[in-house]
């Protein structure tokens, strides 16, 4: 008859489980240190956040499927940047094109930030930005050393617009392009600085979840203002929109 095995006491069992617990904690800590690659949106799906079909703030009207709108945009080479000047060609930043008493920068901050505090009902003092370009949460505080942490990006950069047809627009229409809400996003300042005047062929936001909404905005702006795209830009945008076939373009509130 074999001897009966004694069950370990609760105290002994707890001691025996400590090594396994330590091993599990080590594995968990290592996994937290890993950065998981952001998957490219699967064809037939729409990425969440800024990349989703509701990428435009409430109140915007759809201009149709973004891929259909893309097909209407001419493809040409980029014109020289000769004559480009931000103020002379597109007006002083930021003009109150909506005539609501607030300049465009404050309008976009109030639209894109949460937990907003203002002075005089217009000047945004503080707020929280869930940055579409990086996925980071940024605390905005107005001040000489802090305001640039959040910048307002022209999704179609103004110099890019100048080189793809805006030279032929009137001064008034260029000023509208520079202040059009569909062309503006509050974003992480350093990331916006890195973008410069790049188009979709040369620069995309670090967060892939934002790509569908980002390029749809570029399609929306270029279609609204009669601008063209380079072949590389057109092809890259087409590739991205193929992964989110339901993505909508937006109708500009400034262009009839």
């Amino acid at each position: 008859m074999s001897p009966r095995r004694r069950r370990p006491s609760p105290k002994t069992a707890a001691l025996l489980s400590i090594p396994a617990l330590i091993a599990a904690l080590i594995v968990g800590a290592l996994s937290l240190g890993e950065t998981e690659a952001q998957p490219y949106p699967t064809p037939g799906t729409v990425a969440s956040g800024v990349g989703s079909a509701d990428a435009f703030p409430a109140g915007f009207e759809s201009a149709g499927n973004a891929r259909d709108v893309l097909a209407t945009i001419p493809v040409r080479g980029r014109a020289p940047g000769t004559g480009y000047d931000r103020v002379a060609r597109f007006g002083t930043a930021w003009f109150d094109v909506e005539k609501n008493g607030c300049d465009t920068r404050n309008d976009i901050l109030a639209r894109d930030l949460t937990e907003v505090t203002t002075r005089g009902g217009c000047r945004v003092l503080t707020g929280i930005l869930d940055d579409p370009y990086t996925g980071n949460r940024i605390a905005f505080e107005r001040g000489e050393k802090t305001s640039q942490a959040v910048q307002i990006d022209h999704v179609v950069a103004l110099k890019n617009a100048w080189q793809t047809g805006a030279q032929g627009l009137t001064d008034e229409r260029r000023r509208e392009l520079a202040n059009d809400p569909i062309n503006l996003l509050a974003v992480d300042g350093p990331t916006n600085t890195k973008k410069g005047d790049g188009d979709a062929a040369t620069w995309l936001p670090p967060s892939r979840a934002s790509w569908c909404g980002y390029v749809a905005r570029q399609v929306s702006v270029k279609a609204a203002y009669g601008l063209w795209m380079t072949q590389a830009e057109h092809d890259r945008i087409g590739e991205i929109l193929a992964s989110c076939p339901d993505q909508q373009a937006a109708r500009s509130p400034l262009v009839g």
Side-chain angles (χ1 to χ4, degrees):
M1 185 174 186
S2 60
R4 178 181 295 178
R5 293 183 180 178
R6 296 179 58 190
R7 292 185 177 180
S9 67
K11 183 176 181 180
T12 303
L15 290 173
L16 291 172
S17 66
I18 288 176
L21 177 61
I22 292 174
L25 290 173
I26 291 173
V27 171
L30 289 173
S31 66
L32 287 174
E34 296 175 355
T35 302
E36 195 170 308
Q38 298 182 36
Y40 194 85
T42 304
T45 66
V46 181
S48 61
V50 175
S52 67
D54 60 353
F56 302 99
F60 280 86
E61 297 181 4
S62 170
N65 184 280
R67 290 201 292 175
D68 293 339
V69 178
L70 174 65
T72 70
I73 296 176
V75 174
R76 296 174 56 183
R78 184 181 292 199
T82 308
Y84 171 75
D85 182 278
R86 167 62 169 95
V87 175
R89 303 304 183 185
F90 291 90
T92 304
W94 294 91
F95 191 76
D96 180 16
V97 293
E98 294 186 339
K99 298 181 173 59
N100 62 358
C102 298
D103 66 73
T104 304
R105 175 175 167 78
N106 281 296
D107 279 341
I108 301 304
L109 289 173
R111 184 195 72 184
D112 291 353
L113 273 58
T114 58
E115 302 179 33
V116 172
T117 64
T118 63
R119 177 184 298 156
C122 183
R123 186 177 177 84
V124 175
L125 300 179
T126 62
I128 302 296
L129 174 68
D130 288 314
D131 176 42
Y133 286 1
T134 64
N136 296 331
R137 175 161 284 195
I138 303 170
F140 170 78
E141 181 178 358
R142 183 177 292 276
E144 184 178 344
K145 296 182 179 180
T146 55
S147 287
Q148 289 303 300
V150 173
Q151 297 178 13
I152 308 301
D153 179 36
H154 287 96
V155 179
V156 172
L158 297 185
K159 187 174 183 181
N160 175 275
W162 178 255
Q163 294 180 276
T164 57
Q167 296 183 31
L169 301 179
T170 64
D171 291 341
E172 180 180 4
R173 186 49 55 90
R174 283 196 295 265
R175 185 170 61 183
E176 289 174 345
L177 191 159
N179 293 273
D180 196 316
I182 67 170
N183 193 30
L184 299 173
L185 275 176
V187 300
D188 174 66
T191 302
N192 184 45
T193 300
K194 290 178 182 178
K195 171 186 172 179
D197 62 350
D199 61 23
T202 59
W203 189 90
L204 288 165
S207 174
R208 292 193 177 199
S210 71
W211 284 7
C212 289
Y214 176 76
V215 298
R217 282 181 181 264
Q218 293 190 328
V219 168
S220 304
V221 172
K222 295 214 165 185
Y225 289 89
L227 308 182
W228 68 76
M229 293 182 178
T230 65
Q231 188 67 63
E233 176 187 10
H234 191 277
D235 290 349
R236 190 69 178 107
I237 289 176
E239 291 172 0
I240 294 170
L241 290 178
S243 72
C244 42
D246 295 326
Q247 177 69 52
Q248 299 294 295
R251 190 179 304 281
S252 167
L254 303 181
V255 179

